[in-house]
Amino acid sequence: MAWMMIDENIAYMSPSSVYRILVDCGLNRRWQKPLGESKKTGFDQPKAIHEHWHMDISYINFKGSFVYLISVLYVASRAVLAWSISTRMESLDTQLVLWDACDKWLGGDKSVAVRLITDNGSQFLTKEFKQILKEFSIHNVRTSVNHPQSNGKLERFHGTIKTELIREIPMYSLEQIREEVGKWIEEYNSLRLHSAIGYVTPMDVFYGRKEKILAERKEKLLEAKLKRKEYSVKANIRLVA
């Protein structure tokens, strides 16, 4: 919230100040962790462009049956590179999504060393899927059996979109699901600030805008601090006078 207000030039307060106000007003319960819960450290995050991609399939309940959300996530920026809503969970569907991600973000550049992390689902083991990996020089890393945490960032993304969208809005047709998911992912990529990447958007990281944004925020906070100090000094002078 603090960074959004700074970016939009609404108010210039540090996150700690905003947090104290939320606590005083009893508005921070959504972000409170249960007592005793500590932050997990995880593993070292990828630094190089396109170093890690994650790909997975998630079930969506729809009219007593299932449709399937297939996504490719770029880990370093948390950007969703490609996605699809399918009525089947077959290899052809995963091939189309992977090809879309590769064609859109890699093009003909085969010098990028992409590591694609998937589970051991049969959709990722077919000859045709492996051919796409070979075509774009992608190294496929499969997660350990019964260890979905290895694909945890994409699992969490799927959980978030289900919680905030799929389970909140009545869905009456496949076309509506695709339209709503498309709008949500566009907002997620381009507008939503992500805590794990410094409270910027995934596309800010992807296009290298992060450091400039952080520097601008720092400058705005410093300028606001100096103005408050100047105002305080003038107020004290008036009181003395």
Side-chain angles (χ1 to χ4, degrees), residues 189-239:
N189 275 343
S190 302
L191 298 176
R192 183 169 177 153
L193 305 187
H194 202 302
S195 61
I197 53 177
Y199 291 98
V200 295
T201 71
M203 284 303 169
D204 287 333
V205 174
F206 188 92
Y207 288 114
R209 299 189 293 256
K210 177 180 177 179
E211 297 307 320
K212 181 181 178 182
I213 291 172
L214 296 182
E216 288 175 349
R217 288 174 179 172
K218 186 176 181 180
E219 184 178 347
K220 288 178 181 179
L221 282 173
L222 179 59
E223 183 179 351
K225 182 179 180 180
L226 293 175
K227 286 184 177 180
R228 285 194 293 268
K229 185 176 181 180
E230 180 182 355
Y231 176 83
S232 178
V233 170
K234 289 181 178 179
N236 289 334
I237 291 175
R238 285 196 296 269
L239 287 175

Side-chain angles (χ1 to χ4, degrees), residues 15-153:
S16 58
S17 297
V18 174
Y19 179 78
R20 285 196 297 271
I21 293 172
L22 290 173
V23 170
D24 291 342
C25 296
L27 298 175
N28 69 319
R29 295 176 183 174
R30 177 182 173 185
W31 298 276
Q32 284 182 329
K33 293 183 178 180
L35 292 176
E37 181 178 335
S38 59
K39 183 176 177 62
K40 299 176 177 61
T41 57
F43 61 91
D44 292 336
Q45 300 301 315
K47 303 297 183 183
I49 185 75
H50 293 307
E51 184 177 347
H52 282 174
W53 287 7
H54 286 238
M55 187 172 189
D56 200 9
I57 304 171
S58 187
Y59 297 84
I60 295 176
N61 287 305
F62 178 62
K63 293 186 175 181
S65 184
F66 294 105
V67 293
Y68 306 95
L69 172 59
I70 308 170
S71 310
V72 176
L73 183 79
Y74 169 35
V75 177
S77 73
R78 302 302 198 275
V80 178
L81 302 181
W83 64 275
S84 176
I85 297 289
S86 175
T87 56
R88 307 166 302 175
M89 193 169 61
E90 299 178 359
S91 180
L92 176 60
D93 302 291
T94 60
Q95 293 167 40
L96 291 173
V97 174
L98 178 59
W99 184 274
D100 184 29
C102 293
D103 185 57
K104 186 182 298 181
W105 301 106
L106 299 181
D109 186 2
K110 298 182 180 180
S111 64
V112 181
V114 175
R115 298 175 73 235
L116 178 68
I117 300 172
T118 67
D119 61 23
N120 291 275
S122 59
Q123 300 85 359
F124 306 117
L125 302 176
T126 64
K127 179 177 67 175
E128 293 79 10
F129 188 85
K130 292 178 181 178
Q131 182 60 39
I132 298 176
L133 297 175
K134 183 178 179 181
E135 176 74 19
F136 289 93
S137 302
I138 296 174
H139 176 54
N140 187 201
V141 178
R142 300 191 188 98
T143 61
S144 301
V145 178
N146 297 323
H147 197 269
Q149 296 90 333
S150 301
N151 222 357
K153 291 178 177 59

Side-chain angles (χ1 to χ4, degrees), residues 179-196:
E179 180 181 356
E180 295 292 345
V181 167
K183 290 190 294 186
W184 194 94
I185 290 178
E186 176 63 28
E187 180 176 333
Y188 169 87
N189 275 343
S190 302
L191 298 176
R192 183 169 177 153
L193 305 187
H194 202 302
S195 61

